[in-house]
Amino acid sequence: MNIQCTLIRALLALCVSVQVAFFVLSWSGSLPADGVVQISAKGMSTAQMRTLDLPQRAAAIALGLPALLALCYGMARLARLLANVGRGATFDRATIGHLRAFAGATLLSTLLSIAEPPLRAVVLRFGFGAPAPTFSVGVSSEELLLVLVCALFFLITNLMHEGRRLAEENEGFV
């Protein structure tokens, strides 16, 4: 079990690194404009991003950063949960708390990533007068599935908490 948890923690670190790299690359404009690989922020093409001046780009980055930070926090809590499971502390209060925090942070990150593109369009258009991408809200099936999985994790944490409470109650009778 410990080896599995270590492997998953390594994959989590890779996942977070890739997410941060994509975020940085999508807003840095460091990739060549005519390159084979194009990385852009959700709802905005690389060409549109390149037309933004520094204050506009900074505002767009500030609007996208909360979703990334929430995701990073959730992944950190998941890594701590896996460390607890690797030690055999599967039903400890801290482990349950880590799972609940992971589910909440992942849900928050998903909702923020859904709200960010239309909010960015509004801020760029009305706050800066920039020709921003059209205002649209898009929700993918993957995002809806992730919201469902987060809700399932909340249910699992409640079941784990109830199982722990019953185990502690049974210990009192012995």
Side-chain angles (χ1 to χ4, degrees), residues 113-123 134-138:
S113 70
I114 291 169
E116 188 253 332
L119 183 59
R120 180 185 342 117
V122 168
V123 167
T134 58
F135 180 84
S136 66
V137 177

Side-chain angles (χ1 to χ4, degrees), residues 12 68-79 98 101-106:
L12 282 175
L68 180 64
L69 294 175
L71 180 66
C72 290
Y73 175 75
M75 293 298 179
R77 292 298 294 264
L78 183 57
H98 292 316
F102 162 72
T106 304

Side-chain angles (χ1 to χ4, degrees), residues 7 9 13 71 73 87 91-92 99-100 112 126 155 174:
L7 177 63
R9 288 174 68 194
L71 180 66
Y73 175 75
R87 285 193 338 259
F91 293 101
D92 282 1
L99 182 57
R100 188 173 286 149
L112 288 171
F126 298 113
L155 174 65
V174 175

Side-chain angles (χ1 to χ4, degrees), residues 77-148:
R77 292 298 294 264
L78 183 57
R80 292 173 65 188
L81 174 142
L82 290 168
N84 283 1
V85 170
R87 285 193 338 259
T90 305
F91 293 101
D92 282 1
R93 290 182 198 275
T95 305
I96 296 168
H98 292 316
L99 182 57
R100 188 173 286 149
F102 162 72
T106 304
L107 178 61
L108 178 63
S109 176
T110 303
L111 296 176
L112 288 171
S113 70
I114 291 169
E116 188 253 332
L119 183 59
R120 180 185 342 117
V122 168
V123 167
L124 291 177
R125 182 169 290 144
F126 298 113
F128 291 96
T134 58
F135 180 84
S136 66
V137 177
V139 180
S140 69
S141 58
E142 290 86 6
E143 290 166 330
L144 290 175
L145 182 61
L146 191 54
V147 168
L148 179 64

